[in-house]
Amino acid sequence: MQTNLAPEHMQFLHAAVASGKYQNETEALNEALWLLKRRDELLTILEVGEQELDAGLGLPGEEVLDRLEKRA
């Protein structure tokens, strides 16, 4: 598969590999895609949470803060 990345993305990709954080471009791109997938998963979780709040299924803010304080 061949990809055509914008020049600024190619520069960023080369710099990431040159920094030593990634062994090669494929490794860097695989992590980028994993992060994109994870972002989409988190956005879905947030959307579900928002729908639950809109449906009245959430907890009062004071109760949430009390629970967090007890954990801390």
Side-chain angles (χ1 to χ4, degrees), residues 5 9-32:
L5 297 176
H9 295 151
M10 282 301 296
Q11 184 179 9
F12 185 81
L13 181 60
H14 291 302
V17 174
S19 75
K21 184 172 181 179
Y22 303 98
Q23 292 183 1
N24 53 50
E25 292 175 359
T26 299
E27 185 179 333
L29 287 171
N30 281 334
E31 180 159 344

Side-chain angles (χ1 to χ4, degrees), residues 41-52:
E41 292 168 351
L42 292 172
L43 287 174
T44 299
I45 290 168
L46 289 173
E47 288 172 5
V48 169
E50 185 177 23
Q51 291 169 359
E52 289 175 351

